[in-house]
Amino acid sequence: MPTAFFRVSILVIATLLTLPVSPAQARRPIRKAFFNVYPGATASRLDDLPSNAGHCGVCHFDFDGGGPRNPYGLSVEVAIGSFPTTEAAILSLDGLDADNDGFINNVEITDVINFTNTPTFPGLESGNVGSVANVDPADILPYLTPSGSSDTTPPVVTVLSPNGGENAQAGTFDLVTWSATDASGISHVDIYLSDDFGGTFKQVAAQEPNDGTFDWFVPNRPGGLSAIRVVARDNAGNYGEDLSDASFTITRVPGGTVPTTMRDIDLPGSQPFSAGVFRDPDVNCVTCHGEYDPAVEPWYVWKGSMMAQAQRDPLFLATVVVAEQDAPSVGDLCIRCHTPGGWLEGRSVDTSGALITAKDRAGVQCDFCHRQVDPIYKPGISPPQDTAVLDSLDVVPLAPANGQYVVDPDPIMRGPFGDAVASHSFLESPFHRAALCGTCHDVSNPVFSAGGSPGEYVPNAFDAPHPDGDLRNMFPVERTFSEWSESEYAASGVFAPQFAGNKADGIVSTCQDCHMRDVSGVGCDEPGVPTRPDLPLHDLMGANHFVPDILPSFWGSEVDSLRLQDGKQRAIQMLGLAATMALTPGQQLSNPTVTVTVTNETGHKLPSGYPEGRRIWLGVKAFDADDSLVYESGAYDPATGVLTHDADVKIYQVKPGVSTSLAPVVGLPAAPSFHFVLNDTIYSDNRIPPRGYTFAAFEAIQSPPVAHTYPDGQYWDETEYVLPLDAVFAEVTLYYQTTSKGYIEFLRDENTTNTLGQQLYDAWVAQGRAAPVVMVTDTTSLHVDPTGIGDIPTIKTALLQNWPNPFRTSATIRYALGKREPMTIRIYDVAGRLVKTLINEERPPGFQTVTWDGTNQVGQRVASGVYYYRMKTATQHFSRKIVLLR
């Protein structure tokens, strides 16, 4: 009997495998699990409709299954990654309101006592029903939201504590207690804080269970008119609420150099608890956007980027500690950009970041970027759905800047393409082609307002929001986005094929063109996804080459060292493209000179971004005829991390600090300072502007040169070095460093809160003291005529850096010979294998070039990657790195 049963089973399975499978049938396992959890919904409209029997419309807008998921389907997707069975995942959503219609899923699916039309669809409501397909809308319209309840009595709610007269200490936990009863049962409870005894409210908890207690972290919003409101919703959809009978007092967080509170950094836009819950990219987004092509897939390259590490970055975390010591609660402003999900889900109220979760530490993640809405609605350009999101805000931001973001509370993804194939809802959004980046890359300190003259800033009244919320009326911290907006890149585009990825014309114009260069591939592994030649690579590339090295020592298995090192190498490649350099030998009286011209190839200042510790400098060496070092400027000691500030040193950086008027108030010297939240002036800024620069435009965006001059239109800087009489050869290197010894030591020494500053210092030492990266290096012979009668200048044998580097089609390799002699130049791969011989013969003295077209010895084009070109003479050997991009 068992054998016969087995044979019949095999026959049935084989038959089933040969039958055509509809999309709905292909997803039967989840559908089956749903009805296992909710057997009472069997044979209801959730199970069967006249126009589509046996449909799959509980999770999908398409009732035949597949395609974009509705909000309930997205919730199921999120939960499946966190539970051992599909049934357990579905059951975990019982108390959530997936479609945000005011009814939790359990009520919509099971409550047939209080309503006459249940079960209703937990993922559909009037706002999204227009997205459904393959069903007659008339069949589902009566079953969107529970209605017809006989229970119209609201819950009875009583706030028990704090209920008047208490004193709550900001920065500590306190208990909110209440009672809430109703005949149909309490669905959930929301809790709000008022600091004007009922005039206005800020939500502090959402969809809490009705267990009567909430462990509340008291925000730093001091005052004697505080009140708690508890709002309860019953299972019939009725609301009841209660407010504290009398006011209680919140006492401000003690300490701080200045008495700031959370009110000082209140800004418009989406607020905590207003944007729903973000998905975990490592659980949910990876299922479609990862693990299929590490070279181009969004998840892999994002995972190794600093965007994904924004809330893990120990340098950032140590900075926040000192900032909180200087100005209590200012950490909230930092957290809102470094973990938007944690901020929007209400976990930044402890502004030190102590409430942040592992999911929050995913940093600037998928849901945040792709659910953002342009705060400036553009008719005919912005998605029409944006109007409802903007209308729901109390105050709309004036610009996408300062972390004043607007996020769609519904899980509708936005992006630059209108033909995406996705298992979620999506909208084409031009905002995601450029302006999005300003959200967190135009940053100001809202504690200050502009004074009476350019560059002057004065403190606002403490414990109050900025008077107008205008970015240009605050002290500038970072202006990367605005610098780009006033550059030639934004105005007309620039021919820069080294940045342009797949762009055939080599023209780059937007932030994404350089920092998310176009590659060929698919954006997810859904069937039917178009292969794009202009897929934005989600490496979101910056210049941080140090923090990827220390992250594993802080976070262990929470980070992926391989992906981080991939990201680091991409950052180093980006730095190699950011500037070019030219050396011009000359003479001053009897001394040789070399003029170094550094050209900014980026769309913003060089360097740009946050100023603390970030710097670029010129390392200049000169040698005599015996190859002995006779001059050095900008010497860096890797054993100590010390950059020598000699009389000639050229360091490109911005130095913010404390003004003479503010110094007595904060107890600091009137000088450049690393106390960035206290700084109110710019002492110097010699960073090189981008193409298209004018002083007037950059002054208007609060980023003019200070204590340095760049004529309008100049996007390069020249420095002349007068060298010793016996110098015959100069070697110049442009270095970039993520952070300096001075800043690391500042974070160690100023930290009186915890040991994070010391831990950062120890990691900095262990990982090579943030060893600087070579952006570009070059050498030149010095043309010296000590007699004044035209002696032939001495030329030193040298191998120079190729141009461009990286290259795509061909690269020019420059070299110099001091005398006629046999020599070779050969290309090798990273394993040391010969790829091609370019020169193998006797050559005359002088400066010369040879071209490599990216082919091997037999004319075949070689793969993208790092190669080495080596020059050999009878007595000397030289080697340099060359990068080929396809």
Side-chain angles (χ1 to χ4, degrees), residues 109-129:
I109 300 167
T110 70
D111 191 347
V112 295
I113 296 176
N114 291 298
F115 303 98
T116 58
N117 69 332
T118 48
T120 55
F121 289 92
L124 300 179
E125 42 88 29
S126 57
N128 64 22
V129 71

Side-chain angles (χ1 to χ4, degrees), residues 633-836:
S633 174
Y636 179 82
D637 183 355
T640 63
V642 172
L643 171 61
T644 301
H645 286 58
D646 58 87
D648 294 341
V649 70
K650 173 60 72 73
I651 306 173
Y652 298 102
Q653 60 187 341
V654 55
K655 289 186 176 181
V658 178
S659 69
T660 54
S661 59
L662 186 63
V665 177
V666 298
L668 292 172
S673 160
F674 286 137
H675 291 271
F676 89 93
V677 298
L678 302 179
N679 291 337
D680 69 329
T681 193
I682 303 296
Y683 276 90
S684 65
D685 183 356
N686 70 339
R687 296 174 299 163
I688 306 173
R691 286 171 169 81
Y693 154 83
T694 65
F695 181 87
F698 272 59
E699 185 177 53
I701 64 170
Q702 304 165 286
S703 188
V706 178
H708 194 84
T709 300
Y710 287 100
D712 285 359
Q714 183 170 317
Y715 54 92
W716 62 88
D717 183 61
E718 293 183 351
T719 308
E720 183 182 49
Y721 294 84
V722 180
L723 305 174
L725 288 171
D726 54 348
V728 299
F729 192 80
E731 178 184 271
V732 183
T733 303
L734 184 67
Y735 291 101
Y736 175 92
Q737 192 171 40
T738 299
T739 190
S740 66
K741 173 184 174 71
Y743 189 52
I744 292 292
E745 290 181 339
F746 167 84
L747 294 175
R748 177 196 63 188
D749 298 341
E750 291 293 320
N751 187 326
T752 60
T753 301
N754 56 33
T755 63
L756 186 55
Q758 183 64 52
Q759 294 175 57
L760 174 63
Y761 178 85
D762 293 342
W764 174 75
V765 171
Q767 292 295 332
R769 294 177 169 82
V773 166
V774 174
M775 298 179 68
V776 59
T777 187
D778 206 346
T779 54
T780 185
S781 294
L782 301 169
H783 296 227
V784 182
D785 182 4
T787 68
I789 59 173
D791 283 1
I792 297 174
T794 301
I795 295 177
K796 183 181 177 72
T797 298
L799 179 65
L800 310 180
Q801 186 62 54
N802 67 284
W803 174 256
N805 191 36
F807 77 99
R808 293 189 179 279
T809 55
S810 66
T812 299
I813 296 171
R814 298 171 294 165
Y815 65 97
L817 291 175
K819 62 181 180 179
R820 176 178 290 275
E821 61 181 325
M823 51 86 66
T824 62
I825 293 181
R826 292 186 170 100
I827 306 293
Y828 296 86
D829 64 19
V830 291
R833 294 179 294 243
L834 177 64
V835 174
K836 190 170 188 176

Side-chain angles (χ1 to χ4, degrees), residues 78 277-281 285 364-372 407-408 411-414:
V78 170
V277 176
F278 283 6
R279 292 174 292 178
D280 186 338
C285 305
V364 184
Q365 54 108 301
C366 317
D367 268 14
F368 168 64
C369 287
H370 288 282
R371 280 167 55 186
Q372 271 201 70
V407 176
D408 192 336
I412 300 174
M413 302 294 107
R414 289 161 171 78

Side-chain angles (χ1 to χ4, degrees), residues 161-233:
S161 68
N163 200 35
E166 298 92 342
N167 192 314
Q169 175 63 59
T172 65
F173 283 95
D174 205 342
L175 270 184
V176 174
T177 62
W178 71 90
S179 68
T181 59
D182 187 86
S184 63
I186 301 297
S187 167
H188 63 270
V189 166
D190 296 327
I191 304 172
Y192 300 82
L193 169 69
S194 174
D195 58 9
D196 52 9
F197 198 65
T200 58
F201 293 91
K202 288 188 177 294
Q203 193 164 1
V204 298
Q207 296 200 347
E208 289 293 314
N210 186 35
D211 57 11
T213 64
F214 174 69
D215 205 13
W216 173 46
F217 190 89
V218 183
N220 192 20
R221 297 184 180 276
L225 294 176
S226 302
I228 286 291
R229 180 175 73 174
V230 175
V231 178
R233 180 178 180 126

Side-chain angles (χ1 to χ4, degrees), residues 262-268 398 402 404 444-450 457-461 463-475:
M262 291 190 76
R263 295 188 184 96
D264 289 288
I265 50 175
D266 279 340
L267 294 169
L398 299 174
N402 230 30
Q404 300 169 110
S444 294
N445 187 342
V447 176
F448 295 96
S449 292
Y457 297 89
V458 295
N460 303 322
D463 195 32
H466 188 274
D468 59 28
D470 186 350
L471 178 79
R472 305 297 181 211
N473 191 25
M474 302 174 184
F475 179 71

Side-chain angles (χ1 to χ4, degrees), residues 270 278 307 336-337 340 344 364-375 383 386 389-390 399-401 403-410 412-415 427-432 435-440:
S270 296
F278 283 6
M307 298 289 258
R336 69 188 295 151
C337 269
L344 286 167
V364 184
Q365 54 108 301
C366 317
D367 268 14
F368 168 64
C369 287
H370 288 282
R371 280 167 55 186
Q372 271 201 70
V373 170
D374 189 344
D386 288 1
V389 179
L390 294 170
Q404 300 169 110
Y405 36 71
V406 178
V407 176
D408 192 336
D410 288 326
I412 300 174
M413 302 294 107
R414 289 161 171 78
L427 296 170
E428 182 177 3
S429 168
F431 180 60
H432 287 71
L436 171 81
C437 302
T439 306
C440 290

